[in-house]
Amino acid sequence: MKRHLYLTCLILSFLSISCAQTEKPTTEISWDTWGVPHITANTLEDLFFAQGWAQMHNHANLILDLYGSSRGKGAEYWGQEKLSNDILIHTLGFEELANEWENQQDPEIKTIYSSFIKGMNAYAESHPEAIEEKYKTVLPLTTKDLNMHSMYVIFTRFIAGNDLGRIQEWPDMGSNTYAIAPQRSASGSAMLVQNPHLPWWKEFLFFESHLRFNEKNMYGTTLVGFPGIAIGFNENLGWSHTDNTIDNADTYELTLEDGGYLLDGERKEFEKSSKTIKIKQEDGNLKTHELQLMKTVHGPVVNKTEEKILALRMVGTDRPNMFLQWWRMINSNSFTEFESALKMAQIPFWNVMYADKQGEIFYLFNGLVPKRSTGDWAYWDRVIPGGKASDIWTEMHPYEDLPKVKNPVNGWLQNANDPPWTSTIPMTLNPDEYPAYMAPKHMYFRPQRATRMMIEDQSITFDELIEYKLSTRLEFADRILDDLFAAVDNSNSDKAKKAKVILENWDRKADANSKGMLLFFNWAQKFGLWRSGNYKTPWDITHPNTTPDGLSDPKRAVELLEVAASEIETKFGKLDVPWGDYYRINYNGKNLPANGIDGSLGVFRVAWPGGSDDDHMYVGGGDSWVGVIEFGKQVQAKVLLSYGNATQKDSPHNGDQLELFSKKEMRDAWFTEADVNANTKRTEILIENKFKEKKK
């Protein structure tokens, strides 16, 4: 009997072990108290299925709006107001390019895309109540939609943003980043600052997530509707992106002749085609619009008059694996692996700033720079006149040609959308060693402020780096107020002298309680910061972070101060108005005092205006994602996603981080297992292609 019992137990034990070995590992989403998904998965398919599900949970209606618009069918779904956007998408040929990309893409990125899309569709099917009626027409989503949306954002908002801006206006954008080497870090560990500045709406919004995949721990952000992590860190390294001064799109003005256009004085035929766009009318019926498309050897025609046309040429249309490169970057464990990912050269835009646990720091002027036959920056930074075949570029500079700096002797690197030359002060990179068209030569007040904070601190703590990131001190005020005060002292203006007292007592910051910021802001707007003629000493590349300086016309500066003071006093009844009383955050029903301002004034904490009324001005964008990371034995990170990690109307995370923004605070990134467990609000488990709430 005992023998039979022993054998029975042995068999049951064996069966239990066998079942455990064949049972599929659990894929789960742990949602924390800020609405950040911490995703655990053991297969690529499950990981990105979960991320697609999580993005839809937080942004379902926004994603459907974005994908529907990027299809070039916005007018068909929602009416006339989307027509110009549809025309742009079809003019640039994104639908046809998406078909090409789907055939060319690496099998791994195809798996990522298909899994991500399946996760989004599964969420929509499981939660129809989360989706507004007007967006349901967009479903189901496809991988082609993802390709077209990535094209729309990357090509029209970044690569060709400036060129298209000559035809239509786009929002102001920018970023900050630092990398601190061990010799300048108080702890002896490298540190990194991630800080893109984008509009607080639509396709520019970020999504924060934590991916735990096959024992890899990856944290960061990407734009809503995109898979993976585009700015992030893991246990060994991290990076950030900033918009760079790269000219990788050109607009050509060509002369029309007999239904064709001139190239080197000879007439050439357009490549012509047409598209039918449907437009939803108020009564629900569809009206058709026939769009005539023309293409030149330069690229598609984006504007036309009776005598001239504008044709647009962009880089990157032959690089279908951008998101695979980002996936390789976040999976890297060393600089060697990370650089190997960079050499894929699939990401056509954006500087890269890097730091790691080994103490390496690195800056790359990343992107696809056309090999041009001639000309300097000024030659190419314009609408290119005439029709010369020699102005049509086809090849790109390889990775080896791009400006880059690794482990500089000064111990830090910075970029605040300035050209690569000033990534260090003194400058490590010599612009004369690169083609004249590679990048311009300038250094505005925001990067000057960035370098000043580094230069003045020989041993930077993690907390100090956070303070620098959140600093609202104005470099322009530090530069010019002594000259303005001297000009006022030499004048006979009582009003200017009264204003001077306010400015002398001002802390030279754009904090909510700063008194004098509004007066100075009003004066600076009238003065014109980057008119070189306004300064006694104009900007000089041999003194990049201390020029321009002095007033070329002190009398005019005083007169402008009188006008600025009169306007403020008339409107508010006093000159010392706290900045936060005037500058406000107005987002999803929240109305809070703001801090920061447009970076042109030399503020590192950027919050640029997006609208105003009679009594207030409102933040429209700026600091979006902020990450400050220290790569010690255990990664330490503080983060903030200014507007919160959701846009669904009923989500508690739609705007829930704005109070931290208003108070100039950040929050912990819950990166370790213990932190995630301690701050998990609820958990979902993947069961039969949908996530279900895990019972406690």
Side-chain angles (χ1 to χ4, degrees), residues 180-183 185 188-191 234-238 332-338 354-362 406-407 630-635:
I180 313 299
Q183 68 261 39
S185 168
S189 299
M191 296 186 287
N234 58 36
E235 291 169 331
N236 296 299
L237 56 83
S332 299
N333 294 308
S334 66
F335 178 76
T336 300
E337 291 180 10
F338 189 83
Y354 167 96
D356 67 25
K357 186 173 283 190
Q358 301 304 314
E360 308 261 39
I361 64 172
F362 176 72
K406 184 180 179 187
N407 299 332
E630 184 173 50
F631 294 97
K633 289 183 179 179
Q634 183 171 298
V635 172

Side-chain angles (χ1 to χ4, degrees), residues 329-348:
M329 289 160 68
I330 195 65
N331 276 276
S332 299
N333 294 308
S334 66
F335 178 76
T336 300
E337 291 180 10
F338 189 83
E339 188 175 37
S340 178
L342 293 179
K343 289 178 180 179
M344 291 172 66
Q346 293 292 308
I347 299 172

Side-chain angles (χ1 to χ4, degrees), residues 350-369:
W350 298 296
N351 291 299
V352 173
M353 189 69 76
Y354 167 96
D356 67 25
K357 186 173 283 190
Q358 301 304 314
E360 308 261 39
I361 64 172
F362 176 72
Y363 161 77
L364 171 67
F365 183 75
N366 177 71
L368 301 175
V369 179

Side-chain angles (χ1 to χ4, degrees), residues 44 47 108 218 323-331:
L44 201 64
L47 182 73
E108 187 173 12
M218 302 171 280
F323 289 87
L324 182 61
Q325 182 173 336
W326 274 311
W327 182 235
R328 294 276 191 270
M329 289 160 68
I330 195 65
N331 276 276

